[in-house]
Structure formats: C-alpha cells, structure tokens
Amino acid sequence: MINRSIMAASTSWSLSSLMFVRYLRTHVACRLPRRVTVGPQGEASARVALPLSEKELQAIAQEQLVKDEVPETPKKRRPTRISALKDEPEKEKKGKPKKKEPPQPVTEENQFQRLAETVTPLCEVPYVKQLKIKERYCRSVLQQLGQELNKVRAPLERTANKLPCVLEPIRHSPELVAYRNKDEFGVYSGVDGNPKTVGFFIGRPRESNLVCVPPSRLTNVKESHKLVAESFQSFIRQSPHEACHNFQRGGLWRSMVVRSTTAGERMAAVIIHPHNLTEEGIQEVMEELRTYFFEGEGAECELDSLYLQACPHTRCTREQAPYRLIAGKEYITETCLDLTFQISPDSFFQINTRGAEVLYNTIKEVAEVSPITTLLDVCCGTGTISLAMAPAVRGTIGIDVVTGAVEDARKNAQRNNIENSVFMAGKAEEVLPRLTKELNQCADVVAVVNPARQGLHRDVIRSLRRCEAIQKLIYVSCKPDGDAMKNFVHLGTPHKATTGKRTVPFLPKYAVPIDMFPHTNHTELVMLFERV
C-alpha cells in the first residue's frame, strides 16, 4: 500500500524528479507501460518505458492513488521498554531476532566517541527530541506501575490516557552544557596501557575490557573539572606510588572527586588506599599534593579547597575515613533559590544546580503546601528540600541516617537564618514512631522522600503508612523503573501492617518529570501520592 506521505508528495510534486522515479519503480512499476527489448545474447526482457513525461507520470500516480488507497488500520502502540530510551530498531517479521553485535573495542581513535556514547548517549539527539524520549520513558514507567497496582487490586482511578495518574509534560533543564557541579574521576589503565590514566571507565572488569578514558570531550562536564582531572593525571604519573586497581595488589591512587559552584569556587578530594602506609607517609603524600596544586603546575586549576581521604574500602563515610584538609577552605558555598549551602567533600547536592531550583519549585507546587503545613523530609541529606520549603510552611522535620549530612543541614539552617527547621539523625523507621503523637496534632502533614537509587527500605514504607497524620507523600526518584518501583507498589498495596492494624495505602495522583541530566538516559520523576 502506498504510504500517505509519499502519495501527497507525489501529487504536489514536492519530491525531486529522481526521488519520484524511484518511488514509481518501487510502488507503481506494475502500472507503467512496458516494452520488450532484446539483449546482446538474444534474450527478451520487459522493462519500464522510461523516461516518461511529467504529465504521464502524474497521471499514472493519480490513477494508482485511486485504486490502491485503503484506510490504514491503526497499529497497537507497544509500551516503551523501560530499560531503553532510544527508538528501538524494527525486528524482523520472520526468523530469529538478530543478535546484538558486541561493541567495538576502545581504541585511541574512537575512545572519546565511545565515552560520549557511554556517559552521554543522547548527546547527538536534538534536545527537543531528548525531552520526547524521556516523556515516553516516564509514560512507560506509569504504565508499568498501573499494571503492578492492578495485580494487588489497588483501587486506581485511571486517566483518559489509561495511566494510574496524571502525567505532566517534562520540564526542561535551564542549562544543557557543562551543567555538572560534581564529577568523580577514576584511575585505571588507558587505551595506551598507561596504568595512571584519570577519567571515566568503559567496559567491565570481569570481562577484562575495562579501560579509562579522559573526560576532555564530554559536553556535560565543566572545563574547570577537566583541567583538574588532567592535572591530577600529570601529578600521579610523576609520583613513585602506583595506582590502586585492585585492593589485593596494592597501589595508592584510586580516584578524585571535583566539585564546583556557580560562583566558580572549586574543591577537589583525592581518594587513596592507605594499605601499609604510615601516618608519616600519608602526611608526605598530602604535602606533595599541596605543593603541586598550590605552588606547582597544578596551581593553574585555582583550587579553593583540597582534601585527602585514606579509604581502605570501596566507599567510606567520614566516620570510617575522615577527610583531611590539605590546603584552602573547609568548604565551598553554593547558592540555590536565594539560599546558601556549604558544600563539604561528601555533601549531597543535586549535580545540576539550576535544575535543582526547578526540582524544588516543582515539589512545592505539587505538594500544595501552605502556612499550616508541616513538612516531613525523609532522607533529607544536607537539608536542601527542607530549607527550600521552610519559608512556605509552618515547619520542617528532616530525617537522615547519615550523621554528617544532618550536621551540614543544621549548619545550613543557621547560615540562612531559618528557625522553623529541625533535623534528626537516625533511621526513619526508628525516628518516625517517636514523632507520631506530635504529627497527629498537626493540621496538614506532607512527607517528601528523596532516596538514593536503591530506594527506601521496606520498613520505612511501612512506617510511613502507619503514620496516619501523613495524607500526602511526594516521592522523588532519578530511577523510577528500578527499586523505586517496588516502593511505589508497596505504598499502594492494600494490606495489613505487621501489628495487624490495617493501614490506608497511598495511590499515585500526579507525576512531573524533570530533565536534570541532559544528554543522558536519566530523568528525575516527582510523584505525588495521596491516601485513598
């Protein structure tokens, strides 16, 4: 059947002559007059009598339009696969689907292109289309959520689009290039075999194809961060200490975290594995770093703060391995929504500062807070959401299991002269029951949860459901199709608590996607849940 767009184009003669002839050969060759020709060996063959005049071609096309035009049957739309954002290639109708070709090995010629495809897979896609891809992804997340809630017989109210809740159009990032305010660069072997290459990893250690590529051509990384990474690479290549690729094989240099603010302040934290290094040896390393970055070649990075952490594990909290200030200021200061936040080496802060402003304003809008609202901020981190919401509510209560984050939150509240915010350290499932009596006396309680990618522990979900004062809950997730999906389902499942008391579930009512990570596959999704 003739494609409608081609038919219209052929009628209006908007196609070039060459394109239209190709079209005729493909779609209407059977209608063209044919003539018999004799080949050099005497064989007879029939072929289309071309060229034809423009008038003849148009007449043939019009005749074909009338005879072949049949109303198309609308195809059923297949839900977008959550694990893939880009448009999927069409599968063959017959036979087995083609096997996915293994990626090409990383070489000196293609390393930067391969890194861009890994870290920013949508960098070559126009931004308007990126937003459409991410909207489609969020729609598929809600479709999956609706299916999961149907399985547990949750009393859903479907929208006109058959989604479990309203999905608003995606809100774009104010900044598209060099928006990251934090990067962690690893140390590993580069494509040239140098074991002291600083950058991002491609491949997997188990498959023995892991390689490190410098970030010099990534669009979402600041030039100042790239300069610090390049300088650090130069420094460790001059150092007698080896890189630490494997804890059992020794080595010192592991990674570097670079942070910066919109005002241009810069902080770097060097992560090492101490192994058998003595305290005197650590002090020597710190002095070498200080000399290089503040008096030597690395001074061009203009660091405001330089730290070192001697971490013997994969990840270390400040309690396990304190950050040692090598030189400069203890912290740098970021401004967001006219508030100032001190940034320490391990402080949590959204990696897109201007995007964070969009996020916090969206939370305030979706929650519909008022001067009588009490905000319960679970996984509060350094208090950014609590402090951003504090001027619009009666008070905020922040809870976080990380003691250091709670300390930073309290300091940030003092710095901004905010007196209606309280921050408590501890597990949410242990702190919430102690607050139940006080919260039950509040007129309007709204909970906000912004956990890491692994989502909330089931005990936290249970505690939130048991706290009857909470009537609205905002869930912020950067990976809603992962473990957060289990949280969504647990929130909406009609079941009894472990005490035997039936708790009223939370059901999705509203969703707003926010593009905090342009050129990547990730999207921040703000979900409003309300009691049934």
Side-chain angles (χ1 to χ4, degrees):
M1 182 173 57
I2 301 177
N3 183 280
R4 293 180 182 274
S5 62
I6 298 180
M7 291 191 296
S10 62
T11 304
S12 62
W13 292 97
S14 60
L15 293 176
S16 67
S17 300
L18 178 60
M19 291 178 63
F20 188 65
V21 168
R22 289 176 180 172
Y23 158 71
L24 289 173
R25 286 174 176 170
T26 304
H27 297 281
V28 297
C30 61
R31 305 293 183 181
L32 292 175
R34 294 175 178 269
R35 64 187 178 199
V36 177
T37 59
V38 180
Q41 304 299 326
E43 70 276 15
S45 63
R47 64 181 180 86
V48 176
L50 293 177
L52 298 176
S53 68
E54 182 176 307
K55 185 176 180 180
E56 290 174 312
L57 288 172
Q58 189 172 7
I60 294 170
Q62 290 290 354
E63 178 186 357
Q64 189 69 12
L65 293 183
V66 174
K67 292 183 178 181
D68 289 355
E69 185 171 4
V70 179
E72 292 190 36
T73 303
K75 297 181 180 179
K76 294 182 179 179
R77 176 174 287 182
R78 185 175 58 184
T80 304
R81 207 173 61 214
I82 295 177
S83 59
L85 288 174
K86 287 189 176 181
D87 295 331
E88 298 180 24
E90 294 183 4
K91 293 182 180 179
E92 295 181 353
K93 293 183 179 180
K94 295 182 180 180
K96 296 181 180 179
K98 290 184 178 180
K99 291 184 178 180
K100 202 172 184 180
E101 295 183 1
Q104 297 180 352
V106 182
T107 64
E108 291 193 23
E109 291 75 20
N110 71 4
Q111 58 177 325
F112 299 111
Q113 178 65 26
R114 287 292 309 280
L115 182 63
E117 293 170 354
T118 302
V119 178
T120 55
L122 301 180
C123 62
E124 296 183 1
V125 178
Y127 189 61
V128 173
K129 188 173 181 180
Q130 288 186 37
L131 296 179
K132 291 181 179 178
I133 291 172
K134 295 185 179 186
E135 274 189 358
R136 188 167 66 247
Y137 158 72
C138 291
R139 191 178 300 112
S140 69
V141 169
L142 294 184
Q143 288 171 343
Q144 180 184 349
L145 176 58
Q147 294 170 2
E148 296 297 328
L149 290 175
N150 275 336
K151 292 178 183 178
V152 297
R153 298 183 178 179
L156 289 176
E157 296 180 5
R158 296 280 183 174
T159 66
N161 295 326
K162 298 183 179 181
L163 297 178
C165 67
V166 175
L167 176 63
E168 185 179 303
I170 190 169
R171 301 187 178 185
H172 66 86
S173 172
E175 295 181 338
L176 305 183
V177 178
Y179 59 84
R180 291 186 61 90
N181 56 38
K182 177 184 176 183
D183 288 295
E184 182 172 358
F185 303 111
V187 178
Y188 205 75
S189 297
V191 294
D192 59 355
N194 194 313
K196 294 182 178 180
T197 301
V198 177
F200 293 115
F201 298 158
I202 302 178
R204 299 179 180 179
R206 293 180 180 178
E207 298 178 2
S208 301
N209 63 350
L210 187 67
V211 66
C212 187
V213 179
S216 52
R217 299 186 191 177
L218 289 177
T219 59
N220 61 344
V221 178
K222 294 181 180 180
E223 292 300 321
S224 58
H225 292 203
K226 297 174 184 178
L227 178 61
V228 176
E230 184 180 357
S231 295
F232 180 56
Q233 176 176 280
S234 178
F235 170 78
I236 65 175
R237 287 184 175 181
Q238 301 172 29
S239 169
H241 298 287
E242 299 297 326
C244 180
H245 296 173
N246 186 297
F247 290 174
Q248 283 71 39
R249 298 176 185 173
L252 184 77
W253 309 112
R254 290 182 54 190
S255 62
M256 168 183 266
V257 177
V258 182
R259 313 190 71 152
S260 60
T261 67
T262 52
E265 290 183 292
R266 300 165 191 171
M267 170 186 286
V270 176
I271 316 299
I272 65 171
H273 193 301
H275 287 294
N276 298 323
L277 202 64
T278 63
E279 178 61 28
E280 182 180 355
I282 293 177
Q283 292 295 330
E284 289 179 1
V285 171
M286 291 174 63
E287 178 58 25
E288 291 171 359
L289 285 166
R290 187 200 66 79
T291 302
Y292 179 83
F293 279 103
F294 286 84
E295 298 176 6
E297 298 175 16
E300 63 178 343
C301 298
E302 298 181 348
L303 292 179
D304 295 280
S305 179
L306 180 61
Y307 277 89
L308 180 134
Q309 185 188 40
C311 175
H313 311 294
T314 303
R315 294 279 180 180
C316 293
T317 63
R318 64 173 74 176
E319 290 80 14
Q320 294 172 317
Y323 285 87
R324 303 166 181 242
L325 181 64
I326 297 175
K329 301 186 293 186
E330 291 186 13
Y331 54 83
I332 55 179
T333 305
E334 182 60 285
T335 302
C336 182
L337 291 178
D338 297 326
L339 299 172
T340 57
F341 297 92
Q342 70 176 43
I343 307 295
S344 303
D346 59 340
S347 296
F348 171 77
F349 198 86
Q350 294 287 348
I351 58 114
N352 184 341
T353 304
R354 298 284 79 88
E357 294 181 335
V358 177
L359 173 64
Y360 300 148
N361 282 327
T362 300
I363 294 173
K364 187 186 302 183
E365 174 189 328
V366 172
E368 295 182 328
V369 296
S370 69
I372 65 170
T373 301
T374 299
L375 183 77
L376 184 64
D377 187 4
V378 182
C379 307
C380 67
T382 54
T384 49
I385 293 178
S386 287
L387 300 180
M389 302 278 281
V393 300
R394 184 182 74 87
T396 70
I397 303 173
I399 304 172
D400 202 288
V401 70
V402 180
T403 305
V406 172
E407 292 175 359
D408 286 345
R410 291 169 179 165
K411 291 178 181 177
N412 286 329
Q414 294 174 358
R415 171 182 288 274
N416 291 282
N417 298 317
I418 293 177
E419 299 179 353
N420 64 338
S421 292
V422 177
F423 297 97
M424 307 176 68
K427 295 182 179 180
E429 61 269 29
E430 296 176 359
V431 176
L432 274 175
R434 303 201 302 264
L435 299 174
T436 301
K437 184 177 180 180
E438 180 181 347
L439 291 174
N440 284 336
Q441 298 175 359
C442 299
D444 180 37
V445 178
V446 176
V448 177
V449 296
N450 185 17
R453 289 192 176 187
Q454 60 267 30
L456 295 172
H457 191 276
R458 194 160 187 169
D459 289 342
V460 179
I461 299 292
R462 188 179 293 113
S463 298
L464 290 167
R465 288 188 51 153
R466 287 178 182 171
C467 188
E468 297 178 355
I470 304 173
Q471 293 300 308
K472 289 191 293 188
L473 183 143
I474 310 271
Y475 197 119
V476 184
S477 175
C478 62
K479 190 172 174 56
D481 62 331
D483 290 330
M485 179 64 69
K486 299 177 183 177
N487 290 165
F488 300 160
V489 176
H490 291 160
L491 283 169
T493 302
H495 65 76
K496 291 184 179 180
T498 54
T499 59
K501 178 182 178 182
R502 181 173 291 277
T503 59
V504 181
F506 290 92
L507 292 182
K509 294 294 181 181
Y510 204 74
V512 185
I514 302 171
D515 186 24
M516 297 277 288
F517 321 101
H519 315 305
T520 75
N521 286 339
H522 306 297
T523 307
E524 201 86 35
L525 186 62
V526 178
M527 292 273 293
L528 169 65
F529 291 82
E530 290 184 357
R531 295 278 189 182
V532 177

